[in-house]
Amino acid sequence: MKADRLDLAVLLIVAFCLAGVAAVAFFSDPGRQPALVAYLYPATSAPHNVWLAEMQDPAAKRQLTFSDAGVYDFDISPDGRWLAYAERHSSGAVALRLLDIPAGRTRTLVDCVAIKALCTTPVFSPDGAKLAYQRSETASRGFGLPRIWLVSLLGADYDTVPLIADSQVLGHSPVWSGDSNTVAFYSADTTQPGILIFDFAPRGDDGVQLRFIPSSHGAMGALSPNGQQLIFPELVRRDGRFYTHLRIADLAARQFAAFTDPQGPTDDVAAQWSPDGDTVALARQYTDARWTPGHQLYLRRLSDETESLRAVAYDPRYNSSYFRWNRAGDALATQRFPLQSEGAAKPEVWAHDLRSGESRLLAADAFLPQWAGA
């Protein structure tokens, strides 16, 4: 009888364990999780802090950081668990902090207050193993020009080292390729403006790790998910005025081409690759009869034989220039600025569902949207 009771107890324990595992798997399934967008709020007053809202229910929002001095910028890890943010300090320095979102625990990632540095623009690698950021250290007058640094997220010590050992290699605005093998950034060397591309494992037969692409625009471009192509903005002069068009670099073939027509009636200021690498979202303002007061979002499928564009959430009352894809590639989070407002205009955060075509306002007086694991 005792053995039967023991067997029954073991069976019950096993059943409860299996039920728990099944429940965790059910609720952790990305398809069952709400689509979440993080952003900085408020935009027009200090301090800025990071908030999180649901795409389908914007009223379901919560504050993630509670910094008295404010958050400069931030990024969310690919799995949605970690928030890395650049926190201002009264000394003028900016430190990197790391928040475990589910647990609510915060720790210092890089103590840039102690070393009197500006550490900003954290960007997680897609595999979650590393984090790139830009760092400006104290100089004779204020802070020097920035360099790109890395933080290892695999160990508990979070070791940080320069991406490139040569202290003369300056840069800002790092971006990753989808395979986590490449970091591209804009050169902070004003005597040689352009984009630097660093491969941890060289892709070419020549074994070169660091490549340079001349560009006078001053803004970083977008790497394709496989790290083989780069779309970047470039200035062009037409009819006595400067406009922006997009160029594309084939890094493997070392070839350059126009992605959008430099002589066309357009001003194309930014682009982002979809996760599958087949679609590019771009911000465009037409300069002919199709003119709008601000830039609108368009999609271009690279697999199409024609170069036709599809408008996304077209609304001439807004300007859109900052936007990010979700991991599934079926939605865009955007920062929009209302061009017609009764009072003081404030930036807004929107989400656009590309399957349904529905657009939803997530937060007013907010900026810098990022997807949180969706």
Side-chain angles (χ1 to χ4, degrees), residues 10 44 78 109 127 172 203 211 232 261 334 355:
V10 171
T44 56
L109 187 60
D127 62 8
H172 61 81
R203 300 180 187 273
R211 302 182 188 275
F232 60 100
D261 186 358
T334 68
R355 295 171 298 180

Side-chain angles (χ1 to χ4, degrees), residues 158-238:
Y158 297 129
D159 294 330
T160 182
V161 295
L163 172 67
I164 299 170
D166 186 350
S167 62
Q168 300 304 306
V169 179
L170 308 171
H172 61 81
S173 307
V175 298
W176 291 89
S177 61
D179 60 4
S180 300
N181 183 60
T182 303
V183 178
F185 54 96
Y186 196 87
S187 171
D189 185 350
T190 57
T191 63
Q192 194 177 24
I195 297 169
L196 290 164
I197 301 169
F198 178 85
D199 292 330
F200 291 93
R203 300 180 187 273
D205 297 334
D206 54 9
V208 174
Q209 280 190 291
L210 185 64
R211 302 182 188 275
F212 176 77
I213 296 178
S215 173
S216 59
H217 188 277
M220 183 55 221
L223 274 172
S224 62
N226 63 9
Q228 296 292 321
Q229 294 174 296
L230 174 77
I231 294 177
F232 60 100
E234 189 59 278
L235 293 174
V236 60
R237 188 177 177 89
R238 297 195 309 264

Side-chain angles (χ1 to χ4, degrees), residues 80-156:
R81 176 180 176 181
W82 302 98
L83 165 67
Y85 61 99
E87 184 177 34
R88 302 177 187 272
H89 190 265
S90 58
S91 66
V94 179
L96 288 184
R97 303 273 285 166
L98 187 68
L99 169 66
D100 184 335
I101 297 175
R105 292 191 297 267
T106 303
R107 62 156 293 170
T108 298
L109 187 60
V110 182
D111 191 355
C112 298
V113 175
I115 60 176
K116 300 179 181 179
L118 300 177
C119 299
T120 63
T121 322
V123 187
F124 285 94
S125 61
D127 62 8
K130 296 180 286 293
L131 181 136
Y133 67 99
Q134 64 186 53
R135 175 163 156 176
S136 302
E137 299 182 343
T138 51
S140 57
R141 296 181 180 179
F143 295 95
L145 293 173
R147 297 174 61 197
I148 305 301
W149 285 62
L150 294 177
V151 179
S152 173
L153 301 176
L154 298 180

Side-chain angles (χ1 to χ4, degrees), residues 51 80 146 223 265 305:
W51 287 69
L223 274 172
E305 294 183 0

Side-chain angles (χ1 to χ4, degrees), residues 223-299:
L223 274 172
S224 62
N226 63 9
Q228 296 292 321
Q229 294 174 296
L230 174 77
I231 294 177
F232 60 100
E234 189 59 278
L235 293 174
V236 60
R237 188 177 177 89
R238 297 195 309 264
D239 303 324
R241 296 182 59 184
F242 282 102
Y243 297 93
T244 302
H245 77 105
L246 299 174
R247 299 189 72 198
I248 185 169
D250 186 324
L251 304 178
R254 303 179 193 175
Q255 296 177 344
F256 299 84
F259 187 75
T260 60
D261 186 358
Q263 300 305 318
T266 57
D267 185 50
D268 301 325
V269 294
Q272 290 290 330
W273 295 82
S274 64
D276 64 6
D278 185 50
T279 304
V280 172
L282 59 94
R284 163 173 290 188
Q285 181 186 46
Y286 283 98
T287 59
D288 56 11
R290 295 165 288 181
W291 179 84
T292 55
H295 291 79
Q296 304 293 318
L297 291 185
Y298 298 88
L299 301 182

Side-chain angles (χ1 to χ4, degrees), residues 33-34 36-39 50-53 61-66 74-85 97-107 124 158 370-374:
Q33 298 299 306
L36 301 173
V37 176
Y39 52 85
V50 182
W51 287 69
L52 191 66
K61 60 185 178 182
R62 61 189 176 107
Q63 188 172 347
L64 295 182
T65 65
F66 297 85
F74 71 95
D75 194 29
I76 302 281
S77 63
D79 60 4
R81 176 180 176 181
W82 302 98
L83 165 67
Y85 61 99
R97 303 273 285 166
L98 187 68
L99 169 66
D100 184 335
I101 297 175
R105 292 191 297 267
T106 303
R107 62 156 293 170
F124 285 94
Y158 297 129
Q370 305 283 350
W371 293 96

